Amino acid sequence: MTAPLSGRTIVLGVSGSIAAYKSVEVTSRLVQAGAEVEVVMTEAATKFIGPLTFRGITGHEPFVDLWATAGPHAEPHVALGRSADLYLIAPASASTIARIAHGIADDFVSLTALAMRAPVLIAPAMDAQMWANPATQDNVALLRARGVEFLGPVEGRLASGEVGAGRLMEPAAMVDHARARIGREYGDLAGTRIAVTAGGTREPADPVRFIGNRSTGKMGHALAEAACDRGAEVVLITSAELAAPAAAEVVHVETAEQMLGALQQHVPGCEALIMAAAVADYRPAESLPHKQKRGGLEHWSLDLERNPDLIASIQREGLIKVAFAAETDDVLRNAAHKLVAKDAHLMIANDVSAKDAGFAVDTNRVVILDRDGGCDELPLLSKYDCSHRILDRLAPLLAHSADA
Protein backbone atom coordinates (compact mmCIF):
# COMPACT_ATOMS: atom_id res chain seq x y z
CA MET A 1 0.00 0.00 0.00
CA THR A 2 1.36 3.40 -0.99
CA ALA A 3 1.96 5.73 1.96
CA PRO A 4 -1.00 8.15 2.15
CA LEU A 5 1.20 11.26 1.84
CA SER A 6 3.54 9.87 -0.80
CA GLY A 7 3.76 12.27 -3.75
CA ARG A 8 1.41 14.79 -2.14
CA THR A 9 2.33 18.46 -2.02
CA ILE A 10 1.87 19.93 1.45
CA VAL A 11 2.28 23.64 2.08
CA LEU A 12 3.27 24.32 5.69
CA GLY A 13 2.58 27.80 7.05
CA VAL A 14 4.58 28.93 10.09
CA SER A 15 3.60 32.05 12.02
CA GLY A 16 5.20 33.84 14.96
CA SER A 17 4.90 31.71 18.08
CA ILE A 18 7.22 30.19 20.64
CA ALA A 19 5.75 26.86 19.49
CA ALA A 20 7.35 27.31 16.05
CA TYR A 21 10.07 24.83 17.00
CA LYS A 22 7.48 22.05 16.71
CA SER A 23 6.93 22.92 13.05
CA VAL A 24 10.43 21.59 12.35
CA GLU A 25 9.39 18.12 13.51
CA VAL A 26 6.13 18.41 11.56
CA THR A 27 8.16 19.19 8.42
CA SER A 28 10.50 16.27 9.04
CA ARG A 29 7.64 13.84 9.58
CA LEU A 30 5.87 14.99 6.41
CA VAL A 31 9.04 14.60 4.34
CA GLN A 32 9.70 11.15 5.82
CA ALA A 33 6.14 10.20 4.89
CA GLY A 34 6.94 10.96 1.25
CA ALA A 35 5.33 14.38 0.92
CA GLU A 36 6.77 17.29 -1.05
CA VAL A 37 6.79 20.13 1.47
CA GLU A 38 6.87 23.85 0.71
CA VAL A 39 7.22 26.18 3.70
CA VAL A 40 5.83 29.70 3.93
CA MET A 41 6.65 31.90 6.92
CA THR A 42 5.74 35.22 8.44
CA GLU A 43 8.56 37.61 9.29
CA ALA A 44 7.68 37.08 12.95
CA ALA A 45 8.17 33.31 12.56
CA THR A 46 11.80 33.86 11.49
CA LYS A 47 12.47 35.39 14.92
CA PHE A 48 11.79 31.96 16.45
CA ILE A 49 13.17 29.58 13.81
CA GLY A 50 15.44 30.26 10.85
CA PRO A 51 14.41 29.56 7.22
CA LEU A 52 17.68 27.66 6.74
CA THR A 53 16.37 24.90 9.00
CA PHE A 54 13.39 24.26 6.75
CA ARG A 55 15.53 24.46 3.62
CA GLY A 56 17.77 21.75 5.01
CA ILE A 57 14.81 19.43 5.64
CA THR A 58 12.71 20.08 2.52
CA GLY A 59 15.36 20.98 -0.06
CA HIS A 60 13.33 24.12 -0.89
CA GLU A 61 13.87 27.71 0.10
CA PRO A 62 11.02 28.86 2.37
CA PHE A 63 8.89 31.78 1.19
CA VAL A 64 9.09 34.75 3.56
CA ASP A 65 9.58 38.02 1.68
CA LEU A 66 6.50 39.18 -0.23
CA TRP A 67 8.68 41.27 -2.53
CA ALA A 68 11.31 38.68 -3.42
CA THR A 69 11.54 38.02 -7.15
CA ALA A 70 13.77 34.93 -7.15
CA GLY A 71 12.28 31.59 -8.20
CA PRO A 72 10.40 30.16 -11.19
CA HIS A 73 7.04 31.81 -10.43
CA ALA A 74 6.26 35.51 -10.58
CA GLU A 75 3.45 34.91 -8.07
CA PRO A 76 4.56 31.97 -5.91
CA HIS A 77 1.56 32.18 -3.57
CA VAL A 78 -0.75 31.60 -6.54
CA ALA A 79 1.37 28.68 -7.77
CA LEU A 80 1.33 27.13 -4.30
CA GLY A 81 -2.42 27.58 -4.09
CA ARG A 82 -2.87 25.68 -7.35
CA SER A 83 -0.39 22.86 -6.74
CA ALA A 84 -1.00 22.04 -3.08
CA ASP A 85 -2.96 19.01 -1.91
CA LEU A 86 -3.17 20.45 1.61
CA TYR A 87 -2.31 23.64 3.48
CA LEU A 88 -1.33 23.14 7.12
CA ILE A 89 -0.65 26.21 9.25
CA ALA A 90 1.24 25.20 12.39
CA PRO A 91 1.59 27.12 14.54
CA ALA A 92 -1.11 29.67 13.82
CA SER A 93 -1.04 32.75 16.04
CA ALA A 94 -4.14 34.76 16.94
CA SER A 95 -3.00 37.45 14.50
CA THR A 96 -2.62 34.95 11.66
CA ILE A 97 -6.09 33.49 12.30
CA ALA A 98 -7.54 37.02 12.30
CA ARG A 99 -5.81 37.94 9.04
CA ILE A 100 -7.03 34.82 7.25
CA ALA A 101 -10.58 35.21 8.59
CA HIS A 102 -10.81 38.76 7.27
CA GLY A 103 -8.88 38.32 4.03
CA ILE A 104 -5.93 40.49 5.05
CA ALA A 105 -3.01 39.18 2.97
CA ASP A 106 -0.01 41.16 4.20
CA ASP A 107 2.36 38.23 4.93
CA PHE A 108 3.19 35.04 3.08
CA VAL A 109 1.09 32.79 5.32
CA SER A 110 -2.13 34.80 4.96
CA LEU A 111 -1.43 35.61 1.30
CA THR A 112 -1.07 31.91 0.48
CA ALA A 113 -4.26 31.13 2.41
CA LEU A 114 -6.19 33.58 0.23
CA ALA A 115 -4.91 31.86 -2.94
CA MET A 116 -5.33 28.28 -1.64
CA ARG A 117 -7.63 25.86 -3.45
CA ALA A 118 -6.74 22.84 -1.30
CA PRO A 119 -8.18 21.99 2.13
CA VAL A 120 -6.81 24.12 4.98
CA LEU A 121 -5.88 22.84 8.45
CA ILE A 122 -5.03 25.36 11.17
CA ALA A 123 -3.24 24.39 14.38
CA PRO A 124 -3.49 27.34 16.82
CA ALA A 125 -0.90 28.16 19.48
CA MET A 126 -1.39 31.01 21.93
CA ASP A 127 -2.11 31.78 25.56
CA ALA A 128 -5.41 30.39 26.87
CA GLN A 129 -6.74 33.92 27.47
CA MET A 130 -6.08 34.86 23.86
CA TRP A 131 -7.71 31.66 22.58
CA ALA A 132 -10.79 32.27 24.77
CA ASN A 133 -11.10 35.91 23.68
CA PRO A 134 -14.40 36.51 21.85
CA ALA A 135 -12.57 38.08 18.91
CA THR A 136 -10.49 34.94 18.40
CA GLN A 137 -13.50 32.66 18.83
CA ASP A 138 -15.50 34.71 16.31
CA ASN A 139 -12.65 34.40 13.80
CA VAL A 140 -12.42 30.66 14.37
CA ALA A 141 -16.18 30.24 13.92
CA LEU A 142 -16.03 32.25 10.69
CA LEU A 143 -13.26 30.06 9.27
CA ARG A 144 -14.95 26.84 10.35
CA ALA A 145 -18.08 27.94 8.53
CA ARG A 146 -15.92 28.26 5.40
CA GLY A 147 -14.66 24.69 5.74
CA VAL A 148 -11.36 25.28 7.55
CA GLU A 149 -10.52 22.51 10.01
CA PHE A 150 -8.90 23.38 13.35
CA LEU A 151 -6.47 21.03 15.07
CA GLY A 152 -6.62 21.91 18.73
CA PRO A 153 -5.39 23.78 20.59
CA VAL A 154 -4.87 21.22 23.34
CA GLU A 155 -4.78 21.58 27.09
CA GLY A 156 -1.36 21.82 28.69
CA ARG A 157 1.36 24.00 30.11
CA LEU A 158 1.77 27.23 28.16
CA ALA A 159 4.75 29.54 27.66
CA SER A 160 3.28 31.90 30.28
CA GLY A 161 3.53 29.13 32.86
CA GLU A 162 -0.24 28.81 33.06
CA VAL A 163 -2.10 25.61 32.20
CA GLY A 164 -5.01 25.75 29.79
CA ALA A 165 -6.23 25.41 26.20
CA GLY A 166 -3.75 27.05 23.86
CA ARG A 167 -0.93 24.56 23.47
CA LEU A 168 0.04 23.48 19.95
CA MET A 169 -0.99 19.94 19.07
CA GLU A 170 1.92 17.49 19.02
CA PRO A 171 3.59 16.96 15.62
CA ALA A 172 2.70 13.27 15.32
CA ALA A 173 -0.97 14.03 15.87
CA MET A 174 -0.91 16.87 13.32
CA VAL A 175 0.58 14.57 10.70
CA ASP A 176 -2.09 11.96 11.53
CA HIS A 177 -4.74 14.59 10.87
CA ALA A 178 -3.02 15.63 7.64
CA ARG A 179 -3.08 12.02 6.44
CA ALA A 180 -6.74 11.67 7.33
CA ARG A 181 -7.66 14.95 5.60
CA ILE A 182 -5.88 13.83 2.44
CA GLY A 183 -7.80 10.57 2.75
CA ARG A 184 -11.14 12.37 3.02
CA GLU A 185 -10.26 14.31 -0.12
CA TYR A 186 -8.94 11.46 -2.27
CA GLY A 187 -9.49 8.13 -0.44
CA ASP A 188 -11.81 5.33 -1.55
CA LEU A 189 -13.48 5.20 1.88
CA ALA A 190 -14.26 8.93 2.02
CA GLY A 191 -17.81 9.57 3.13
CA THR A 192 -18.16 6.32 5.09
CA ARG A 193 -18.22 5.77 8.83
CA ILE A 194 -16.68 2.58 10.19
CA ALA A 195 -16.64 1.13 13.70
CA VAL A 196 -13.52 -0.86 14.61
CA THR A 197 -13.07 -2.85 17.80
CA ALA A 198 -9.67 -3.69 19.24
CA GLY A 199 -7.99 -5.42 22.17
CA GLY A 200 -8.92 -8.25 24.50
CA THR A 201 -11.68 -7.71 27.02
CA ARG A 202 -11.04 -8.08 30.75
CA GLU A 203 -13.74 -9.77 32.80
CA PRO A 204 -13.20 -9.03 36.52
CA ALA A 205 -13.16 -11.78 39.13
CA ASP A 206 -12.45 -9.24 41.85
CA PRO A 207 -11.02 -5.68 41.89
CA VAL A 208 -7.51 -7.09 41.19
CA ARG A 209 -7.92 -10.18 39.00
CA PHE A 210 -9.59 -10.73 35.66
CA ILE A 211 -10.15 -13.31 32.93
CA GLY A 212 -8.68 -12.17 29.62
CA ASN A 213 -6.59 -13.20 26.65
CA ARG A 214 -3.33 -12.33 24.92
CA SER A 215 -4.69 -9.78 22.44
CA THR A 216 -2.82 -6.46 22.54
CA GLY A 217 -5.09 -4.54 20.13
CA LYS A 218 -2.37 -3.95 17.53
CA MET A 219 -4.43 -5.33 14.65
CA GLY A 220 -7.52 -3.31 15.49
CA HIS A 221 -5.54 -0.11 15.94
CA ALA A 222 -3.78 -0.71 12.61
CA LEU A 223 -7.16 -1.17 10.92
CA ALA A 224 -8.40 2.11 12.41
CA GLU A 225 -5.27 3.91 11.22
CA ALA A 226 -5.53 2.50 7.70
CA ALA A 227 -9.25 3.33 7.48
CA CYS A 228 -8.57 6.93 8.55
CA ASP A 229 -5.83 7.18 5.93
CA ARG A 230 -8.32 6.09 3.27
CA GLY A 231 -10.80 8.77 4.26
CA ALA A 232 -13.23 6.94 6.53
CA GLU A 233 -14.67 8.50 9.64
CA VAL A 234 -13.61 5.97 12.26
CA VAL A 235 -14.86 5.21 15.75
CA LEU A 236 -12.35 2.95 17.51
CA ILE A 237 -13.82 0.97 20.41
CA THR A 238 -10.81 -0.38 22.25
CA SER A 239 -9.64 -1.98 25.47
CA ALA A 240 -5.98 -1.63 24.45
CA GLU A 241 -3.48 0.73 26.04
CA LEU A 242 -2.02 1.79 22.69
CA ALA A 243 -1.72 5.11 20.91
CA ALA A 244 -4.76 5.61 18.70
CA PRO A 245 -4.94 7.46 15.37
CA ALA A 246 -5.45 11.13 16.18
CA ALA A 247 -8.21 11.43 13.59
CA ALA A 248 -10.30 8.59 15.04
CA GLU A 249 -13.01 8.93 17.64
CA VAL A 250 -11.85 6.69 20.49
CA VAL A 251 -14.10 4.92 22.99
CA HIS A 252 -12.32 3.09 25.82
CA VAL A 253 -13.94 -0.04 27.27
CA GLU A 254 -12.82 -2.94 29.42
CA THR A 255 -15.45 -5.70 29.50
CA ALA A 256 -17.53 -7.43 26.83
CA GLU A 257 -20.69 -5.82 28.19
CA GLN A 258 -19.11 -2.36 27.95
CA MET A 259 -18.00 -3.10 24.39
CA LEU A 260 -21.51 -4.23 23.48
CA GLY A 261 -22.95 -1.02 24.92
CA ALA A 262 -20.48 1.05 22.88
CA LEU A 263 -21.39 -0.90 19.73
CA GLN A 264 -25.10 -0.37 20.31
CA GLN A 265 -24.45 3.35 20.70
CA HIS A 266 -22.13 3.92 17.74
CA VAL A 267 -22.85 1.27 15.09
CA PRO A 268 -26.26 2.71 14.09
CA GLY A 269 -24.40 5.62 12.46
CA CYS A 270 -21.90 3.36 10.64
CA GLU A 271 -21.86 1.63 7.27
CA ALA A 272 -19.43 -1.08 8.42
CA LEU A 273 -18.27 -2.85 11.57
CA ILE A 274 -14.83 -4.47 11.79
CA MET A 275 -14.76 -6.70 14.85
CA ALA A 276 -11.03 -7.16 15.47
CA ALA A 277 -11.34 -7.31 19.27
CA ALA A 278 -10.74 -10.63 21.02
CA VAL A 279 -13.81 -10.72 23.23
CA ALA A 280 -13.69 -13.11 26.17
CA ASP A 281 -16.15 -15.97 25.61
CA TYR A 282 -16.83 -16.31 29.34
CA ARG A 283 -16.91 -14.08 32.40
CA PRO A 284 -17.14 -14.79 36.14
CA ALA A 285 -20.77 -15.25 37.11
CA GLU A 286 -20.03 -13.11 40.16
CA SER A 287 -17.33 -10.48 40.57
CA LEU A 288 -16.29 -10.11 44.19
CA PRO A 289 -16.47 -6.55 45.57
CA HIS A 290 -13.13 -7.02 47.38
CA LYS A 291 -9.85 -8.81 46.68
CA GLN A 292 -10.00 -12.55 47.28
CA LYS A 293 -7.42 -13.22 49.99
CA ARG A 294 -5.21 -16.28 49.68
CA GLY A 295 -5.54 -17.12 53.36
CA GLY A 296 -5.72 -20.84 53.90
CA LEU A 297 -7.47 -21.55 50.60
CA GLU A 298 -5.91 -24.34 48.56
CA HIS A 299 -8.42 -23.89 45.73
CA TRP A 300 -10.54 -21.04 44.43
CA SER A 301 -13.26 -22.02 42.01
CA LEU A 302 -14.98 -19.60 39.68
CA ASP A 303 -18.35 -20.16 38.06
CA LEU A 304 -18.26 -18.81 34.53
CA GLU A 305 -21.11 -17.69 32.32
CA ARG A 306 -21.14 -16.97 28.62
CA ASN A 307 -20.63 -13.48 27.30
CA PRO A 308 -22.92 -12.37 24.47
CA ASP A 309 -21.69 -12.94 20.91
CA LEU A 310 -21.14 -9.27 20.10
CA ILE A 311 -20.92 -9.24 16.31
CA ALA A 312 -23.73 -11.79 15.91
CA SER A 313 -25.96 -9.66 18.13
CA ILE A 314 -25.44 -6.53 16.04
CA GLN A 315 -28.07 -6.75 13.32
CA ARG A 316 -28.94 -3.89 11.00
CA GLU A 317 -29.99 -3.96 7.38
CA GLY A 318 -27.22 -2.69 5.12
CA LEU A 319 -24.45 -2.99 7.72
CA ILE A 320 -21.28 -4.63 6.35
CA LYS A 321 -19.69 -6.85 9.01
CA VAL A 322 -16.08 -8.02 9.07
CA ALA A 323 -15.22 -10.56 11.76
CA PHE A 324 -11.99 -12.18 12.97
CA ALA A 325 -11.49 -15.85 13.82
CA ALA A 326 -8.51 -16.35 16.14
CA GLU A 327 -7.80 -20.07 15.87
CA THR A 328 -5.06 -22.57 16.73
CA ASP A 329 -6.32 -25.63 14.80
CA ASP A 330 -8.58 -26.36 11.82
CA VAL A 331 -8.28 -22.65 11.14
CA LEU A 332 -10.13 -22.47 7.81
CA ARG A 333 -12.91 -24.89 8.77
CA ASN A 334 -13.58 -23.05 12.02
CA ALA A 335 -13.45 -19.67 10.30
CA ALA A 336 -15.88 -20.79 7.58
CA HIS A 337 -18.30 -21.94 10.28
CA LYS A 338 -18.03 -18.59 12.07
CA LEU A 339 -18.59 -16.68 8.82
CA VAL A 340 -22.10 -18.14 8.69
CA ALA A 341 -22.79 -18.18 12.43
CA LYS A 342 -21.92 -14.53 12.88
CA ASP A 343 -23.68 -13.40 9.69
CA ALA A 344 -20.48 -11.69 8.53
CA HIS A 345 -19.63 -10.55 5.01
CA LEU A 346 -15.91 -11.23 5.48
CA MET A 347 -14.15 -13.50 7.97
CA ILE A 348 -10.47 -12.95 8.71
CA ALA A 349 -8.96 -16.29 9.70
CA ASN A 350 -5.95 -15.86 11.96
CA ASP A 351 -3.69 -18.66 13.23
CA VAL A 352 -2.68 -17.19 16.57
CA SER A 353 -0.40 -20.12 17.39
CA ALA A 354 2.18 -18.80 14.89
CA LYS A 355 5.11 -16.96 16.46
CA ASP A 356 5.27 -14.27 13.74
CA ALA A 357 1.53 -13.61 13.46
CA GLY A 358 -1.50 -13.12 15.67
CA PHE A 359 -1.22 -11.66 19.15
CA ALA A 360 1.44 -9.26 20.48
CA VAL A 361 3.52 -8.96 17.28
CA ASP A 362 3.67 -6.32 14.55
CA THR A 363 3.06 -8.73 11.66
CA ASN A 364 0.16 -10.91 10.63
CA ARG A 365 -0.67 -13.70 8.18
CA VAL A 366 -4.38 -14.09 7.53
CA VAL A 367 -6.86 -15.70 5.15
CA ILE A 368 -9.88 -13.67 4.03
CA LEU A 369 -13.06 -15.70 3.54
CA ASP A 370 -16.21 -14.30 1.94
CA ARG A 371 -19.85 -15.33 1.52
CA ASP A 372 -19.28 -16.51 -2.07
CA GLY A 373 -16.75 -19.12 -0.99
CA GLY A 374 -13.74 -16.96 -1.80
CA CYS A 375 -10.52 -17.70 0.08
CA ASP A 376 -7.70 -15.14 -0.19
CA GLU A 377 -4.53 -16.22 1.61
CA LEU A 378 -2.26 -13.27 2.38
CA PRO A 379 1.49 -13.48 2.95
CA LEU A 380 3.18 -12.28 6.12
CA LEU A 381 2.64 -8.52 6.24
CA SER A 382 2.90 -5.68 8.70
CA LYS A 383 -0.43 -5.26 10.46
CA TYR A 384 -0.85 -1.87 8.77
CA ASP A 385 -0.35 -3.39 5.29
CA CYS A 386 -2.54 -6.34 6.23
CA SER A 387 -5.23 -3.84 7.22
CA HIS A 388 -5.14 -2.26 3.79
CA ARG A 389 -5.57 -5.68 2.13
CA ILE A 390 -8.65 -6.24 4.29
CA LEU A 391 -9.97 -2.77 3.44
CA ASP A 392 -9.37 -3.52 -0.26
CA ARG A 393 -12.00 -6.24 0.14
CA LEU A 394 -14.32 -4.06 2.23
CA ALA A 395 -14.32 -1.05 -0.12
CA PRO A 396 -16.30 -2.66 -3.00
CA LEU A 397 -18.82 -4.07 -0.53
CA LEU A 398 -19.41 -0.57 0.82
CA ALA A 399 -19.67 0.85 -2.71
CA HIS A 400 -22.19 -1.84 -3.71
CA SER A 401 -24.21 -1.24 -0.52
CA ALA A 402 -24.28 2.51 -1.24
CA ASP A 403 -25.54 1.88 -4.80
CA ALA A 404 -28.19 -0.60 -3.71
Side-chain angles (χ1 to χ4, degrees):
M1 174 68 189
T2 303
L5 295 182
S6 180
R8 298 295 182 184
T9 298
I10 311 293
V11 177
L12 177 67
V14 184
S15 65
S17 166
I18 191 64
Y21 72 93
K22 289 186 179 180
S23 61
V24 176
E25 184 180 345
V26 173
T27 306
S28 178
R29 285 177 175 269
L30 291 171
V31 170
Q32 291 179 50
E36 187 78 10
V37 181
E38 297 279 3
V39 177
V40 297
M41 306 176 69
T42 65
E43 287 284 354
T46 66
K47 306 297 184 183
F48 295 94
I49 194 79
L52 182 62
T53 302
F54 293 108
R55 187 178 72 184
I57 298 171
T58 67
H60 305 296
E61 191 70 39
F63 296 96
V64 181
D65 185 358
L66 289 174
W67 310 108
T69 56
H73 301 289
E75 295 180 310
H77 60 288
V78 175
L80 291 172
R82 290 173 178 165
S83 65
D85 293 300
L86 185 73
Y87 187 23
L88 169 62
I89 305 175
S93 65
S95 297
T96 293
I97 292 171
R99 287 188 180 93
I100 295 172
H102 296 282
I104 300 171
D106 57 358
D107 60 42
F108 232 109
V109 172
S110 57
L111 182 67
T112 303
L114 207 58
M116 187 57 57
R117 293 177 177 177
V120 178
L121 304 182
I122 293 181
M126 64 194 75
D127 191 78
Q129 293 172 231
M130 298 173 67
W131 173 249
N133 189 282
T136 302
Q137 289 302 305
D138 285 349
N139 291 331
V140 169
L142 185 60
L143 289 171
R144 280 180 172 150
R146 295 174 185 166
V148 173
E149 183 178 343
F150 279 81
L151 309 182
V154 298
E155 294 269 350
R157 187 181 185 280
L158 307 174
S160 64
E162 300 292 328
V163 175
R167 186 178 176 85
L168 184 66
M169 182 178 284
E170 291 303 311
M174 283 189 273
V175 173
D176 267 4
H177 280 287
R179 289 165 52 173
R181 188 63 186 85
I182 289 288
R184 293 198 299 275
E185 195 71 15
Y186 307 103
D188 60 349
L189 297 182
T192 63
R193 182 171 171 84
I194 299 174
V196 180
T197 66
T201 62
R202 295 181 172 189
E203 311 299 330
D206 66 18
V208 176
R209 305 173 181 90
F210 63 86
I211 293 176
N213 54 63
R214 298 182 186 277
S215 175
T216 59
K218 288 185 175 184
M219 189 70 229
H221 279 238
L223 278 159
E225 180 182 5
C228 285
D229 286 346
R230 294 171 75 147
E233 184 181 344
V234 175
V235 53
L236 174 61
I237 302 169
T238 181
S239 64
E241 297 178 1
L242 296 174
E249 178 184 354
V250 182
V251 180
H252 291 283
V253 297
E254 185 170 285
T255 67
E257 283 193 332
Q258 291 171 357
M259 187 169 283
L260 178 59
L263 289 170
Q264 291 170 337
Q265 178 182 349
H266 292 280
V267 167
C270 296
E271 285 77 43
L273 166 61
I274 305 177
M275 196 75 191
V279 180
D281 292 323
Y282 294 89
R283 66 188 176 209
E286 180 184 6
S287 178
L288 298 178
H290 52 78
K291 178 184 175 181
Q292 174 65 55
K293 300 292 187 182
R294 179 176 177 177
L297 290 177
E298 290 296 326
H299 302 281
W300 177 25
S301 298
L302 291 175
D303 288 328
L304 302 180
E305 62 184 11
R306 287 184 62 136
N307 268 322
D309 188 332
L310 269 57
I311 192 167
S313 65
I314 300 296
Q315 298 289 339
R316 200 201 74 213
E317 185 177 355
L319 179 68
I320 307 298
K321 297 199 292 185
V322 180
F324 275 69
E327 302 291 342
T328 59
D329 58 274
D330 292 330
V331 174
L332 293 183
R333 184 172 64 84
N334 288 328
H337 172 74
K338 288 183 176 180
L339 176 68
V340 176
K342 296 180 183 296
D343 190 31
H345 295 76
L346 299 174
M347 179 61 64
I348 315 303
N350 200 179
D351 184 352
V352 295
S353 66
K355 291 183 178 180
D356 58 356
F359 296 149
V361 293
D362 295 327
T363 52
N364 216 350
R365 184 189 293 106
V366 305
V367 180
I368 305 175
L369 308 179
D370 62 37
R371 288 180 171 181
D372 296 327
C375 182
D376 185 9
E377 187 172 349
L378 302 187
L380 186 68
L381 298 167
S382 72
K383 287 186 173 177
Y384 178 78
D385 288 339
C386 183
S387 296
H388 277 294
R389 295 288 289 271
I390 294 169
L391 295 176
D392 286 344
R393 296 293 302 276
L394 174 62
L397 295 176
L398 286 168
H400 177 74
S401 177
D403 293 338

